[in-house]
Amino acid sequence: MKFKHRSAISIASVVTVIVVWQLAGQFKWVDPLLLPPPSEVVRTAVDLMVHGYQQVPLWQNILISIARAVFAFAASILIGVPLGLLMGMSPPFSAMLDPFVQFLRPLPKIALIPLTVVWFGIGEGSKFFLIFISSFLSIVVGAAAAVQGVSSARLRAAQVLGASRTQIFRHVVLPNTLPELFTSVRLSLGIGWTSLIAAELVASNSGLGWMVMNAGDYLRTDVVIVGIVLLGLIGYLLDVLLVLAQRRFVPWSGKDA
Amino acid sequence: MMVTESLEAGPDRLSDALIRLVSVGKVFDDAPSSADQRGRKGRSTAGTNALTDVSLSIAKGEFVALLGPSGCGKSTILNMIAGFEKPTQGSVIVGGKDVIGPGPERGVVFQKPTLFPWLSVIDNVTFGARMAGIAPSVYLPRAEDYLRRVGLKGFERHAPWQLSGGMQQRVALARAWILNPSILLMDEPFGALDAQTRMMMQELVSGVWTLTGTTIVFVTHDVDEALYVADRILVMSARPGRILENLTVDAERPRDIEALAADPRIGALRRHILHRVRQEVRLSIEAFS
């Protein structure tokens, strides 16, 4: 299917859902208190931008959530990628860390929230830790797997061209793992974003997650929906940025020669 | 048909030999690789017998084809000369020394181009030179020269995946040959190409070889390919591989495919080889059924 056709269908489908949603509110098919129509959501969004939610401007909540995510995410890449590469290169090292990684990785990170609150309070520390630990683990696993995915044919080709062990790592293994690294970074971004919101929902007094939770307590479903839409859009936007970066930096992704 | 016990295929004077295999045998472990061997002690360790008692010698500057049915172990011989694999019996000697690992003096062209997709064509071709720390002023003119030789002038900045399979294999050829290896090992390098491209590649290799005089070991299962490129053809048996025959291709260079096809002596040689290879294929099929 052509890209143009695909996008046309996608846009039409989104517009249809919004129109039906609007009509459902307009004609009271559903109680607007349970599901406020798009027109009201937009009005609320504008109001939040101008007046803020409980005196906190909307952009401030957006920024603080993004800042938390980006900061912890960057840290998990900076530590997780080298650690994963090391695990991929060294079987003993991998054997040493693997049990912990494999235990923690499938663990729902929400279960760690009570502990993190006890350890770090409800300040920035607990948020950082939760996002970090969830994205970090999946990056480590992804990076380790990426190293092992280097084909022996490619390694042999480098060997007969006279490359030393360190040269092979630097000039073959690293570039060879980049496409997969990008993929695991994308996956872990989603995971990190999810944990951030979970953390903000439970233990926070700022951020989009907090705004959604708090508005729910006061039955401000319009604010809740504004928050949900923003959370979804920002997550989508971050992913698109990563896809663009991937196209820019690893154009050979998925290509073979 | 009898096979002489002492058949050491190759030049009479052993001192001339650049590559020597002495009673080489290779048995592959059927057991999984060492990484997941735990708890498997009771397993039989018979393994697959890939090669038995292979002796051959190849002189400097020779163009030798290893011909045989698939699975006969011809690639294994190549991999042992390259240093990727070790013999389980006998020894593999290159330049008077036992082969202990891969090295740039033994270039390899694989069945697949095996280029580095993150590097441009020119960066692929100059990979070896850059790893060796040679100055760009030295390797760049040489690389241009080799790219012209393989007909890829103007494609320097292309990415490998933007090229056709035949062009990719030409990049691989230039990448291996530019390092001026004393031996070039080719493992069915044109097996994946279409018939026309393959013929062109055979002419190319034959032409460049005439210029450089590199010692070439060329693995193939294609009788016509072996006849066209090589000076000497070693015909191998079905698994476990042995060398059945050592045949000289007596034809002038530069060779012309059409003239070669018309030459009655080559025709007789071709029939003879086909007969032997077909016999071996039949044997290996019977062994499986």
Side-chain angles (χ1 to χ4, degrees):
Chain A
M1 192 186 258
K2 279 196 190 125
F3 180 72
K4 250 167 125 181
H5 291 164
R6 238 195 106 85
S7 337
I9 295 177
S10 298
I11 291 170
S13 128
V14 170
V15 168
T16 310
V17 167
I18 292 178
V19 166
V20 170
W21 176 10
Q22 177 67 36
L23 293 177
Q26 203 109 22
F27 295 107
K28 301 274 188 293
W29 296 339
V30 288
D31 185 349
L33 185 66
L34 296 181
L35 185 69
S39 55
E40 200 188 319
V41 172
V42 170
R43 209 175 306 129
T44 306
V46 172
D47 180 64
L48 286 177
M49 273 185 266
V50 178
H51 299 107
Y53 180 72
Q54 296 191 356
Q55 281 81 49
V56 185
L58 184 61
W59 61 264
Q60 201 172 312
N61 280 324
I62 294 177
L63 273 190
I64 201 157
S65 289
I66 292 181
R68 281 169 182 156
V70 169
F71 192 58
F73 192 63
S76 67
I77 290 177
L78 283 179
I79 303 174
V81 168
L83 201 69
L85 292 178
L86 215 61
M87 280 176 74
M89 295 296 286
S90 152
F93 190 66
S94 164
M96 195 172 84
L97 292 188
D98 209 43
F100 304 102
V101 172
Q102 297 306 342
F103 167 74
L104 285 171
R105 196 173 59 108
L107 185 79
K109 303 304 172 300
I110 301 170
L112 293 177
I113 292 178
L115 265 187
T116 56
V117 171
V118 174
W119 291 346
F120 304 103
I122 64 163
E124 294 310 313
S126 58
K127 256 78 76 187
F128 177 88
F129 180 77
L130 269 173
I131 306 162
F132 174 81
I133 198 77
S134 31
S135 47
F136 167 77
L137 287 166
S138 82
I139 286 176
V140 167
V141 173
V147 171
Q148 276 150 2
V150 183
S151 77
S152 63
R154 231 167 237 171
L155 296 177
R156 284 178 170 186
Q159 280 181 320
V160 294
L161 292 170
S164 67
R165 277 178 66 92
T166 39
Q167 282 175 329
I168 287 177
F169 179 74
R170 159 90 182 68
H171 295 281
V172 180
V173 175
L174 268 190
N176 196 88
T177 53
L178 267 186
E180 254 190 89
L181 275 183
F182 256 99
T183 306
S184 66
V185 161
R186 267 181 73 191
L187 283 175
S188 54
L189 179 78
I191 297 169
W193 188 238
T194 308
S195 328
L196 162 75
I197 302 315
E200 286 185 347
L201 285 175
V202 177
S204 189
N205 44 27
S206 61
L208 283 174
W210 164 79
M211 185 184 87
V212 167
M213 200 61 191
N214 191 278
D217 289 345
Y218 294 101
L219 279 182
R220 286 289 307 272
T221 44
D222 51 338
V223 176
V224 171
I225 289 178
V226 169
I228 289 172
V229 169
L230 281 174
L231 287 174
L233 283 179
I234 292 169
Y236 181 65
L237 205 75
L238 291 174
D239 190 58
V240 167
L241 285 178
L242 273 179
V243 172
L244 289 179
Q246 182 169 19
R247 282 207 200 124
R248 168 80 182 74
F249 293 114
V250 282
W252 66 87
S253 180
K255 311 277 208 261
D256 199 12
Chain B
M1 180 92 48
M2 69 151 252
V3 179
T4 42
E5 195 78 347
S6 64
L7 184 129
E8 171 150 335
D12 300 332
R13 286 170 300 147
L14 285 179
S15 54
D16 279 356
L18 178 60
I19 305 170
R20 281 189 70 201
L21 267 68
V22 184
S23 318
V24 164
K26 177 77 184 174
V27 178
F28 284 105
D29 267 340
D30 285 338
S33 63
S34 57
D36 31 13
Q37 250 179 353
R38 56 208 145 167
R40 288 273 179 176
K41 272 186 194 148
R43 229 180 123 108
S44 97
T45 48
T48 305
N49 207 352
L51 294 172
T52 48
D53 197 26
V54 170
S55 293
L56 59 86
S57 65
I58 294 169
K60 189 171 183 308
E62 258 196 301
F63 197 138
V64 175
L66 274 176
L67 179 79
S70 64
C72 74
K74 47 195 193 302
S75 294
T76 308
I77 293 182
L78 207 75
N79 284 340
M80 287 192 297
I81 301 173
F84 298 142
E85 282 165 22
K86 290 193 166 55
T88 35
Q89 259 160 26
S91 48
V92 178
I93 301 158
V94 170
K97 289 188 196 111
D98 276 316
V99 172
I100 45 168
E105 74 287 351
R106 281 159 288 139
V108 180
V109 178
F110 301 88
Q111 184 165 12
K112 287 191 188 162
T114 329
L115 302 175
F116 305 120
W118 51 88
L119 298 178
S120 65
V121 166
I122 188 91
D123 287 343
N124 264 285
V125 171
T126 59
F127 185 86
R130 288 185 290 120
M131 293 305 107
I134 295 169
S137 59
V138 176
Y139 66 67
L140 277 179
R142 268 178 70 79
E144 293 291 339
D145 198 39
Y146 263 92
L147 281 176
R148 196 173 325 111
R149 245 179 236 185
V150 299
L152 285 174
K153 183 115 193 69
F155 289 94
E156 290 85 351
R157 292 284 138 218
H158 278 62
W161 74 82
Q162 294 171 318
L163 307 179
S164 69
M167 291 163 95
Q168 289 178 1
Q169 198 57 297
R170 278 186 269 160
V171 177
L173 209 58
R175 183 178 69 173
W177 224 323
I178 193 177
L179 292 176
N180 221 351
S182 56
I183 298 165
L184 195 53
L185 304 163
M186 300 190 162
D187 191 0
E188 303 196 30
F190 313 138
L193 305 178
D194 64 82
Q196 278 71 35
T197 312
R198 187 159 41 190
M199 247 189 273
M200 218 189 64
M201 297 293 286
Q202 290 160 0
E203 281 172 2
L204 179 71
V205 166
S206 182
V208 180
W209 176 76
T210 325
L211 291 177
T212 58
T214 315
T215 310
I216 296 185
V217 185
F218 192 106
V219 163
T220 181
H221 56 253
D222 180 343
V223 178
D224 291 317
E225 182 166 74
L227 280 170
Y228 179 74
V229 296
D231 284 334
R232 196 148 66 87
I233 301 178
L234 302 177
V235 182
M236 292 187 62
S237 71
R239 180 186 295 165
R242 287 161 296 130
I243 297 197
L244 290 180
E245 295 207 41
N246 170 28
L247 305 161
T248 307
V249 184
D250 194 9
E252 288 290 307
R253 287 187 195 258
R255 288 175 186 170
D256 177 68
I257 288 187
E258 290 167 36
L260 211 64
D263 187 331
R265 283 177 313 155
I266 300 294
L269 192 57
R270 181 170 184 272
R271 272 192 300 280
H272 175 72
I273 299 173
L274 270 177
H275 177 72
R276 287 314 296 269
V277 172
R278 276 164 53 84
Q279 233 175 358
E280 287 306 316
V281 172
R282 219 168 11 244
L283 279 178
S284 71
I285 290 172
E286 276 163 18
F288 276 111
S289 54

